[in-house]
Amino acid sequence: QVQLAESGGGLVQAGGSLRLSCAASGSTFSSLVMGWFRRTPGKEREFVAAITRSGESAFYADSVKGRFTISRDNAKNTVYLQMNSLKPEDTAVYYCAARAVVIVVLSPSGYDYWGLGTQVTVSS
């Protein structure tokens, strides 16, 4: 079993930055593919970014490409999401997710473990 805990959300003005962190416990972190997803009221959970187990490769939704960066520190059992040039449409609850299978997938259904989420609000 894997436990995930997000932190770093908050209120920021448009154009600003935030860094989300997700601390993992309960499993060998380096064996997990990690992802970030977000959800706004009335919408399905959507893919934001994912990173391979080693951290060598990262994948992004078109809506965040060039603005967000996912990274991981396997020594600290933590994955990060650096969010720059934030827009009001980035406002959502952001979730960290872990996948025990090596292949990276972009669908929420492909992830086995989830955190409780952290709220990000971007004001215009």
Side-chain angles (χ1 to χ4, degrees):
Q1 195 74 350
V2 177
Q3 292 80 44
L4 303 172
E6 303 96 337
S7 60
L11 174 63
V12 63
Q13 288 189 332
S17 299
L18 280 175
R19 188 195 198 201
L20 304 183
S21 299
C22 173
S25 61
S27 181
T28 304
F29 183 70
S30 60
S31 70
L32 301 171
V33 167
M34 300 300 297
W36 286 97
F37 294 79
R38 65 188 182 187
R39 181 163 62 189
T40 55
K43 292 188 177 181
E44 296 291 325
R45 197 171 296 191
E46 67 170 353
F47 170 76
V48 175
I51 191 166
T52 56
R53 298 181 301 176
S54 66
E56 287 186 359
S57 297
F59 305 83
Y60 298 95
D62 288 342
S63 59
V64 306
K65 203 170 293 183
R67 300 188 298 122
F68 290 11
T69 302
I70 187 172
S71 62
R72 66 190 296 161
D73 186 336
N74 286 348
K76 295 183 177 180
N77 291 356
T78 302
V79 63
Y80 305 97
L81 186 68
Q82 178 67 45
M83 305 185 295
N84 299 329
S85 302
L86 282 161
K87 305 175 181 180
E89 51 263 43
D90 294 318
T91 295
V93 177
Y94 283 72
Y95 298 89
C96 172
R99 171 176 165 84
V101 180
V102 64
I103 298 173
V104 175
V105 298
L106 309 187
S107 170
S109 63
Y111 287 77
D112 306 299
Y113 306 101
W114 292 85
L116 296 179
T118 185
Q119 176 71 47
V120 171
T121 303
V122 184
S123 63
S124 57

